[in-house]
Amino acid sequence: MVKQRQADRNTALSLRQSMSGLHTWVGLLMGWVLYAMFLTGTVSYFKDELSQWMRPELAHQTQPIDAALMAQRIADELKATVPDSSQWSMRLPNERNNSVYAFWRTQEGGRRGFAEGHFDPATGKAISARDTKGGDFFYRFHFQFHYIPVVWGRWIAGLAAMFMLVAILSGIITHKKIFIDFFTFRRGKGQRSWLDAHNALSVFGLPFHLMITYTGLVTLMALYMPWGQQAAIQTSAERQQLSAELSAFLRPGKPNGEAHAMASVEDMVRQAQARWGRDNIGTISAVNPADTASRVSIARGEFSRVSMSPQYLLFEGSTGKLLEVHDQVGPAAETRGVLYALHLGRFSDTVTRWLYFLVSLAGTAMVGTGLVLWTVKRRQKLPSSRRPYFGLWLVERLNIASIAGLSVAMTSFLWANRLLPQDLPMRAASEIQVFFIVWAAALIHALLRPARLAWVEQLWMAAALLALLPILNACTTSRPLWHSLVMGDWVFAGVDMASWGLAALHAGLAWHMNRRRASVGPRYAGKPRAAPTQEAA
């Protein structure tokens, strides 16, 4: 019996040791990508608010406008400005968006494409706002990155998410006292302090981290595992049914060639309001709007609905006759819709969105502390901390640029929005270029400076840029913080105050890094040496 218990203990120890190695290396190999995905994904919970802040020309809407009247105004404007377009779609404003966003199909020089614009919900007229991707840049970067093909970016994001899932599960197995350790934090203990912080951050949002990682994989499941869908859905009718269960987006069919004015969009929206509520209309799309074959879909908004499965009404555009009601989908599509909604959090109210933000920020810190812990642990084992081997030297530099440098780059993106000339050609692309140029500069700085000083300098730089951002906004727009508070414009006021809160966070980290030199290793000189062969994982 004693031997059996000892064998069981040895087996459990061996399993935890194996999981510890797996946890360490899957966390490191994709850690920098995961940190960037977590941080930009965290910010994306307020992407609509950021997009408003980055287009200060769009006025703050103080009075709600009837969705039916608004939709008719925009439809009339699109008919007048793009009469030959075969397809258009508009997203109506809500408490998080102050303008109507619309896009329409174009055909210039024989090439098809899309154009977009923002419209005043009160007048229906186009608004001239600065060219910017707004918060959508962080959202898109979060799962498909930039400057690489979209499919490649999504494959990389999926691989990173799978590594994250393995790291979470192996971390749970490795730390048998993980919930006890959640209440333990030993300050000033070097490696022990970093491990305590990593454990606490991991346990704090463990259910959320599992949910957000798994649902992130589900959102792109058709890309990663298409074989089941390909085997089960083969005919054109089945593909159309699948498309209807996953999206309310209409694909333009062939026009009849018989011109016919579109029926009242206002009346169609009234029917949708009677079904879903006055202020719960999401998007309105039309195909072949000037033809007898026109179709109009009106999709339900996302308010108070924990599912991204489409619910929409399909109308005959020329007569306004209701053709189809799509208010439910199959069990598989609904499961996917719920998981998708849980990942995006768009159903949430302000309080829930802030909870998403804070727990996701803790997840970002969890990844960051794990990366730093890897270097701290190995630096303490060196015979001389002044001469690290090349692998450790490189990981330290990548940590600095990926963590502190990313904060500097993201804030520089917001600075570029205020400082670049409004009439600059390809202005949105220039803002993104500033982001990557600053991020590359942060990496070069980390490679050239001692590790401790590079950490402190970049964290202080991020703190300064964040703290001065509201002042820059006050100097370059007519919507300073005090004006926003008086007008009740909580989007602009919220971004300014959040900048100061994040500035305080980065300043506190910089002060801690400078005070606790041992946490990131003492300053050293000389070139990195070769890695010792006995270095353990």
Side-chain angles (χ1 to χ4, degrees):
M1 181 66 68
V2 175
K3 291 182 178 180
Q4 181 62 40
R5 291 178 179 175
Q6 183 63 39
D8 291 343
R9 283 195 292 267
N10 292 338
T11 300
L13 181 61
S14 177
L15 175 62
R16 284 198 299 272
Q17 288 176 339
S18 300
M19 290 297 102
S20 177
L22 180 63
H23 180 78
T24 298
W25 286 107
V26 297
L28 177 68
L29 293 176
M30 276 289 182
W32 304 294
V33 177
L34 282 168
Y35 184 88
M37 290 173 62
F38 255 88
L39 185 56
T40 52
T42 298
V43 172
S44 296
Y45 287 122
F46 290 100
K47 73 180 185 68
D48 292 335
E49 289 79 3
L50 266 180
S51 294
Q52 282 195 56
W53 187 88
M54 296 180 73
R55 296 185 181 96
E57 297 80 14
L58 304 184
H60 171 56
Q61 299 293 335
T62 57
Q63 297 295 330
I65 302 173
D66 181 59
L69 294 175
M70 186 192 322
Q72 187 63 62
R73 293 189 189 107
I74 307 304
D76 292 341
E77 182 68 12
L78 291 171
K79 177 182 177 181
T81 56
V82 288
D84 298 328
S85 177
S86 62
Q87 181 181 19
W88 53 254
S89 180
M90 69 177 80
R91 183 195 64 196
L92 300 187
N94 53 33
E95 69 279 0
R96 301 182 62 196
N97 295 287
N98 59 350
S99 67
V100 179
Y101 168 77
F103 67 88
W104 53 92
R105 187 179 291 274
T106 62
Q107 188 165 355
E108 298 179 359
R111 299 182 61 184
R112 288 185 175 182
F114 284 97
E116 61 182 4
H118 289 266
F119 296 82
D120 188 335
T123 66
K125 301 300 181 182
I127 302 172
S128 178
R130 65 189 64 194
D131 183 22
T132 179
K133 292 296 183 183
D136 284 323
F137 167 67
F138 293 135
Y139 170 67
R140 294 290 173 183
F141 183 90
H142 156 68
F143 66 95
Q144 64 190 32
F145 308 107
H146 203 73
Y147 294 135
I148 60 176
V150 171
V151 173
W152 289 19
R154 294 184 178 189
W155 269 105
I156 294 172
L159 182 63
M162 184 59 70
F163 272 53
M164 182 67 182
L165 191 60
V166 172
I168 292 174
L169 296 176
S170 59
I172 294 173
I173 296 172
T174 299
H175 300 95
K176 65 177 182 178
K177 297 181 179 179
I178 187 170
F179 291 103
I180 296 175
D181 290 343
F182 174 69
F183 300 97
T184 303
F185 183 73
R186 285 152 283 198
R187 299 182 59 185
K189 300 296 184 180
Q191 176 187 334
R192 185 70 253 180
S193 298
W194 282 107
L195 183 58
D196 287 345
H198 183 66
N199 288 340
L201 291 166
S202 301
V203 179
F204 172 72
L206 181 58
F208 178 86
H209 301 152
L210 280 168
M211 180 274 292
I212 212 71
T213 304
Y214 178 73
T215 55
L217 288 167
V218 170
T219 59
L220 296 173
M221 61 183 180
L223 173 65
Y224 304 140
M225 300 183 68
W227 309 286
Q229 176 180 316
Q230 292 171 355
I233 300 174
Q234 299 179 352
T235 67
S236 176
E238 290 174 337
R239 285 192 289 270
Q240 290 180 1
Q241 177 63 25
L242 175 65
S243 178
E245 293 210 352
L246 298 181
S247 173
F249 183 76
L250 294 179
R251 298 185 181 276
K254 292 183 179 180
N256 292 335
E258 301 176 16
H260 197 290
M262 181 178 289
S264 172
V265 174
E266 179 182 350
D267 291 343
M268 300 181 207
V269 175
R270 295 288 182 208
Q271 294 185 53
Q273 288 177 319
R275 180 178 292 269
W276 298 321
R278 179 179 180 274
D279 299 318
N280 201 20
I281 307 300
T283 60
I284 303 170
S285 303
V287 295
N288 302 315
D291 191 88
T292 55
S294 63
R295 295 289 185 269
V296 177
S297 72
I298 300 179
R300 183 180 179 181
E302 298 164 349
F303 176 70
S304 70
R305 192 166 68 96
V306 190
S307 176
M308 293 292 290
S309 298
Q311 293 187 10
Y312 62 97
L313 306 181
L314 183 64
F315 295 88
E316 186 176 49
S318 58
T319 64
K321 177 184 177 181
L322 178 62
L323 299 177
E324 299 176 16
V325 176
H326 292 264
D327 56 2
Q328 61 182 358
V329 296
E334 186 63 20
T335 301
R336 179 253 186 197
V338 170
L339 294 176
Y340 198 3
L342 287 173
H343 186 83
L344 296 179
R346 293 180 185 172
F347 64 89
S348 56
D349 57 14
T350 302
V351 174
T352 306
R353 197 174 304 113
W354 271 108
L355 289 175
Y356 259 76
F357 177 85
L358 292 174
V359 181
S360 185
L361 192 63
T364 307
M366 173 189 68
V367 177
T369 53
L371 290 170
V372 174
L373 179 61
W374 192 95
T375 60
V376 171
K377 181 178 180 180
R378 281 147 186 80
R379 177 168 284 281
Q380 291 182 346
K381 294 180 180 179
L382 293 177
S384 172
S385 60
R386 299 177 65 86
R387 296 291 302 276
Y389 57 89
F390 178 77
L392 175 59
W393 178 88
L394 180 61
V395 170
E396 281 184 326
R397 269 59 190 176
L398 291 175
N399 283 353
I400 296 167
S402 298
I403 299 174
L406 182 57
S407 294
V408 175
M410 292 175 68
T411 312
S412 298
F413 176 74
L414 303 180
W415 274 69
N417 175 262
R418 290 296 190 258
L419 294 179
L420 291 177
Q422 293 192 32
D423 57 352
L424 181 69
M426 303 292 291
R427 189 180 186 279
S430 297
E431 289 180 358
I432 297 173
Q433 288 170 0
V434 169
F435 168 85
F436 283 103
I437 290 171
V438 172
W439 203 5
L443 176 59
I444 295 172
H445 172 266
L447 294 173
L448 297 178
R449 296 287 286 165
R452 177 181 62 84
L453 293 180
W455 272 114
V456 173
E457 290 165 359
Q458 292 197 23
L459 286 170
W460 276 121
M461 175 61 71
L465 290 173
L466 285 163
L468 294 174
L469 187 62
I471 299 174
L472 174 67
N473 175 61
C475 294
T476 54
T477 72
S478 59
R479 301 169 76 171
L481 176 59
W482 53 88
H483 179 270
S484 299
L485 291 173
V486 171
M487 298 299 296
D489 187 356
W490 295 109
V491 169
F492 264 68
V495 172
D496 285 347
M497 291 188 290
S499 297
W500 281 337
L502 292 172
L505 174 62
H506 284 80
L509 290 172
W511 177 82
H512 177 79
M513 286 286 188
N514 191 44
R515 184 169 178 267
R516 300 291 184 185
R517 300 182 182 184
S519 297
V520 293
R523 183 174 180 173
Y524 58 84
K527 298 180 180 180
R529 60 185 178 84
T533 56
Q534 71 271 19
E535 177 64 25

